[in-house]
Amino acid sequence: MTFSHLADYFEKLEETSSRLALIDILSDLFKHSSKEEIEKIVYLTQGRIAPFFEPVEIGMAEKTVAQSIATAYDSTKEAVLKLYAKLGDMGLAALQLSSKFKIQNSKLTVGEVFDILVQIAKTTGEGTVEKRQALFTDLLKKLDSSSAKYLVRIPLGNLRLGIGDPTILDGLALAKLGDKSKRKALEGAYNRTSDLGLIAKALFSAGLSAVEKLQVVVGKPIRSELCERLPTPEKVIEKLKSVDVQYKYDGFRVQIHKDGDKVSMFSRNLENMTRMFPELVLATRKQVKAKTAILDTEALAYNPQSEEFLPFQETTKRRRKHGIEEMAKKLPLKAFVFDILYKNGKSLIDSPLVKRIEILKKTIKEDGVLMVSKTETVDDAKRLAVLLEDAVSKGLEGLVVKRLQSLYEAGARNFNWVKLKRHSAGELQDTIDCVILGYIFGKGKRTAFGAGALLVGVYDELQDEFVTVSKIGTGLTDEEWREIKVQSSKFKVQNKPSRVNSLIIPSVWVQPKIVIEVLADEITRSPIHTAGASVNSASHSGLSTSGSKTGEKEPGYALRFPRLVSFRGKDKRAEDATTVKELVEMYKQQGKQ
Ligand code: ATP
């Protein structure tokens, strides 16, 4: 396939705001792809040249890309940057400047363009910037305007297609298995490997059975298992009977992979964090008694002398790209290891929790940095309540309780793992992670900052779309408005983004990228919000919450008295926000059915 043909598909995807249409276009694109190029096409559709978790960056900042555009189209860097500032998108700047050159019938294939992007990424040493610029300019000179528009967006990390991983899986399923509902058949492999390109390649080369055979690989992150919520120790014991109880540490989820001396680490949203935590890399080499292993851990700043866990605000200072070594000395992290998913060439995700913990204890040599999380088996609500008090008194968030015989269900959030925090039953148990979808201009003082209320939503994982749950106007300081303005200005778009489902039309739409943590008094039903509205609520909750029949229109769910707690942009992607299913569960737990 030529890159120009791929750009035609990108154009169609960008113009489409219906998710079903997106899947059809993707499926058509994939049907026209060969088994040799499908992997590259999938990565490019994600705006990448490697899976998300590989730290391969093309390494060209805005100014470098602008210089390449200037050289390719007889302009100057300053003129390109000026046009970029006016249009708000470097892709559109390249489109406009290239159009007078009328380059047509570009024969460059997807493979050729991809390989040059990889070459640019791999360029190192003296004169790197110039070499990268020259290679990129050369590509631009050979591509038509529409291709140039999409090419320049790739190194800048904003392809603007608005496609999530589940939608790509739907597209692959429709193209090769004839029905998007067969996505389920691909999901297991996705949860085990997090690598859409690898899955596409296996599917195109050797069919579904090859995808199903894809196993856990050291170096490719496993999608994290997550927790459900229950309000009280009594409810936990009533539902789960006997559980393994662990502290709920409030730090970063870090999945540690050890392959001989090579150690890599991934965040919950699949970001490669190996460079950020050098002390954990050293500790893994020293303390893990296995040639290969994958560990599930929570890393946080901890003072072993006083047995003090430092608050998340402290730990989060370690999320940085510069001054890493210095900060590692100032604020060293410990990793509490609570699970082992792989050891010496063998996946453990299909072994029961009790067995995994037994193996874990034998694998870690205690030496102060990696610490095996304490566990206790409990079948009595009173004991569980005591442990919860103990955790809270130590400054922790609460407990995580786990079904003793449960397997590791990659990517799942169900009652195998339940988080228990200290709150009395009846109140809203937990904060909600919302995604900013737009803002609504206000009157008066706030207009100076460009916002009066934020339109926020949650993630509907079945539909792979974002649905609205609240307008947040009060409780934000001027400083927070400013911060929101700065962050969201990068993602402002003219029309409703394709994966947003909203009855409310804000003054400005924002691509679903920014996650904020919100506290609310309660969850109520509301006809103006789309979260869990209509037929969706029946399929998410498994029952019709207002007594109407499945399929009848039902109102959505909304937050009452919402207020901003924190920005979660650094450790959460939009798809990691609270889901509709969780929201419905939380609503039910309020006892308002
Ligand atoms: P929250 O915002 O309340 O932390 P979350 O949406 O980030 O929730 P949850 O699934 O609700 O994630 O809580 C699970 C998280 O708790 C895990 O992702 C992990 O980072 C952390 N955690 C801390 N201690 C443990 C433990 N012992 N077992 C599992 N997860 C733990």
Side-chain angles (χ1 to χ4, degrees):
M1 184 183 292
T2 61
F3 190 82
S4 172
H5 195 178
L6 180 64
D8 289 344
Y9 279 106
F10 284 176
E11 193 85 57
K12 282 193 219 159
L13 290 167
E14 192 181 357
E15 280 167 7
T16 302
S17 65
S18 135
R19 188 171 169 270
L20 287 178
L22 280 183
I23 297 170
D24 283 338
I25 300 165
L26 277 175
S27 157
D28 192 47
L29 161 63
F30 297 151
K31 277 185 190 157
H32 285 88
S33 311
S34 70
K35 61 176 190 284
E36 287 75 27
E37 62 195 3
I38 185 68
E39 189 182 20
K40 294 176 179 176
I41 287 176
V42 166
Y43 293 142
L44 287 172
T45 307
Q46 295 179 292
R48 304 265 311 157
I49 52 169
F52 188 69
F53 55 82
E54 275 182 23
V56 178
E57 298 300 338
I58 296 169
M60 294 180 74
E62 275 169 9
K63 283 188 183 141
T64 325
V65 172
Q67 182 59 62
S68 288
I69 295 173
T71 317
Y73 308 131
D74 284 349
S75 181
T76 61
K77 184 168 90 182
E78 290 67 33
V80 176
L81 286 171
K82 212 165 149 199
L83 192 59
Y84 167 47
K86 187 173 146 217
L87 300 171
D89 169 22
M90 195 73 89
L92 290 179
L95 178 78
Q96 191 166 322
L97 289 167
S98 62
S99 52
K100 63 174 184 244
F101 288 81
K102 298 200 168 45
I103 305 165
Q104 269 157 5
N105 297 325
S106 163
K107 294 276 177 288
L108 273 186
T109 64
V110 168
E112 285 164 334
V113 173
F114 189 95
D115 292 347
I116 292 176
L117 289 175
V118 172
Q119 194 187 337
I120 293 176
K122 285 190 176 154
T123 303
T124 50
E126 214 177 301
T128 299
V129 174
E130 292 73 22
K131 281 184 210 157
R132 285 180 170 160
Q133 250 169 30
L135 286 163
F136 204 70
T137 303
D138 199 43
L139 269 184
L140 287 174
K141 280 185 172 164
K142 291 179 187 153
L143 290 172
D144 57 80
S145 296
S146 170
S147 302
K149 168 171 136 191
Y150 291 101
L151 182 74
V152 303
R153 287 177 181 174
I154 293 173
L156 301 180
N158 195 0
L159 196 56
R160 293 170 177 253
L161 300 186
I163 297 173
D165 291 1
T167 304
I168 294 186
L169 286 171
D170 277 333
L172 288 169
L174 183 59
K176 277 286 158 181
L177 309 173
D179 187 343
K180 79 176 171 68
S181 69
K182 300 219 165 102
R183 171 178 111 193
K184 280 256 159 289
L186 306 176
E187 268 173 7
Y190 174 62
N191 289 332
R192 288 190 296 272
T193 66
S194 310
D195 189 341
L196 287 176
L198 178 82
I199 291 165
K201 193 170 151 190
L203 184 65
F204 276 56
S205 318
L208 184 57
S209 61
V211 176
E212 284 164 345
K213 278 192 208 119
L214 290 174
Q215 283 309 324
V216 169
V217 181
V218 181
K220 288 187 193 292
I222 301 170
R223 302 228 315 137
S224 291
E225 177 156 3
L226 300 170
C227 304
E228 268 293 352
R229 303 166 170 87
L230 282 172
T232 59
E234 290 74 25
K235 286 265 188 310
V236 168
I237 297 301
E238 196 184 302
K239 192 168 173 83
L240 306 180
K241 312 291 185 264
S242 182
V243 286
D244 183 70
V245 182
Q246 306 177 354
Y247 284 144
K248 187 174 194 301
Y249 306 100
D250 193 15
F252 304 129
R253 183 96 177 240
V254 180
Q255 199 178 94
I256 302 180
H257 289 231
K258 176 179 189 289
D259 186 0
D261 262 354
K262 188 170 182 298
V263 175
S264 33
M265 289 187 265
F266 305 98
S267 71
R268 178 184 140 172
N269 61 17
L270 308 181
E271 197 187 331
N272 194 309
M273 307 174 89
T274 315
R275 278 196 54 239
M276 246 180 241
F277 307 135
E279 70 271 46
L280 299 186
V281 173
L282 288 179
T284 303
R285 286 193 195 123
K286 226 162 105 187
Q287 289 184 252
V288 178
K289 295 185 286 175
K291 195 164 179 333
T292 54
I294 301 178
L295 306 171
D296 207 351
T297 81
E298 185 84 356
L300 77 167
Y302 173 67
N303 180 343
Q305 274 72 42
S306 60
E307 292 194 22
E308 243 182 314
F309 297 96
L310 302 189
F312 184 72
Q313 297 87 289
E314 284 299 304
T315 302
T316 201
K317 291 182 185 156
R318 290 297 310 276
R319 265 194 171 266
R320 50 169 58 221
K321 292 203 168 118
H322 305 287
I324 290 172
E325 291 288 345
E326 192 192 331
M327 205 57 188
K329 284 206 189 85
K330 229 195 247 170
L331 202 67
L333 296 186
K334 310 279 174 204
F336 288 87
V337 189
F338 53 79
D339 216 327
I340 181 161
L341 314 180
Y342 190 94
K343 185 176 178 184
N344 289 336
K346 195 165 166 277
S347 166
L348 299 174
I349 60 173
D350 293 326
S351 303
L353 175 74
V354 274
K355 178 91 189 143
R356 300 200 304 273
I357 290 181
E358 200 185 300
I359 298 173
L360 173 63
K361 286 181 180 156
K362 288 188 201 142
T363 309
I364 309 291
K365 190 164 80 186
E366 289 290 336
D367 194 18
V369 179
L370 300 189
M371 321 230 262
V372 178
S373 169
K374 282 195 197 134
T375 72
E376 180 176 326
T377 304
V378 171
D379 58 5
D380 162 40
K382 283 210 181 82
R383 177 69 190 150
L384 192 54
V386 169
L387 291 175
L388 179 58
E389 281 305 320
D390 166 53
V392 172
S393 70
K394 286 197 159 73
L396 294 162
E397 277 190 300
L399 302 171
V400 181
V401 300
K402 301 178 180 177
R403 269 199 175 112
L404 299 170
Q405 296 304 323
S406 61
L407 312 182
Y408 191 93
E409 287 191 46
R413 188 191 289 274
N414 57 36
F415 286 94
N416 282 341
W417 289 16
V418 173
K419 59 178 161 177
L420 187 57
K421 296 187 179 178
R422 190 184 63 169
H423 278 290
S424 54
E427 284 174 23
L428 203 48
Q429 297 300 312
D430 204 355
T431 53
I432 294 163
D433 291 327
C434 294
V435 185
I436 299 180
L437 303 176
Y439 45 87
I440 298 156
F441 293 140
K443 294 191 180 77
K445 186 166 152 250
R446 287 260 147 84
T447 23
F449 308 112
L454 294 172
L455 178 64
V456 301
V458 293
Y459 181 53
D460 184 329
E461 79 277 35
L462 293 179
Q463 305 296 325
D464 186 21
E465 65 182 16
F466 297 89
V467 281
T468 69
V469 74
S470 197
K471 282 194 275 183
I472 305 182
T474 47
L476 274 84
T477 61
D478 287 352
E479 188 44 50
E480 283 164 345
W481 276 120
R482 244 180 244 121
E483 168 91 23
I484 284 169
K485 175 104 194 287
V486 170
Q487 292 210 24
S488 57
S489 64
K490 286 182 255 171
F491 303 118
K492 268 195 297 191
V493 279
Q494 295 254 295
N495 299 313
K496 184 182 78 61
S498 51
R499 286 190 301 153
V500 172
N501 174 358
S502 171
L503 300 172
I504 299 165
I505 300 171
S507 318
V508 176
W509 290 105
V510 176
Q511 290 180 64
K513 297 264 189 199
I514 307 163
V515 179
I516 56 172
E517 188 181 2
V518 174
L519 190 67
D521 278 10
E522 62 174 333
I523 300 167
T524 54
R525 304 301 303 260
S526 154
I528 63 165
H529 287 290
T530 48
S534 194
V535 216
N536 289 351
S537 67
S539 56
H540 277 286
S541 59
L543 50 91
S544 177
T545 40
S546 64
S548 56
K549 284 191 224 89
T550 299
E552 259 178 41
K553 273 217 174 254
E554 285 196 33
Y557 293 80
L559 306 182
R560 184 157 171 267
F561 298 133
R563 51 227 179 246
L564 176 86
V565 178
S566 68
F567 288 92
R568 296 301 301 255
K570 285 190 175 163
D571 63 335
K572 286 197 175 158
R573 289 184 304 168
E575 288 82 0
D576 297 320
T578 299
T579 62
V580 171
K581 187 164 167 259
E582 286 178 81
L583 197 71
V584 176
E585 280 297 335
M586 290 170 87
Y587 176 80
K588 285 198 274 176
Q589 285 185 15
Q590 293 176 152
K592 293 230 164 166
Q593 284 178 61

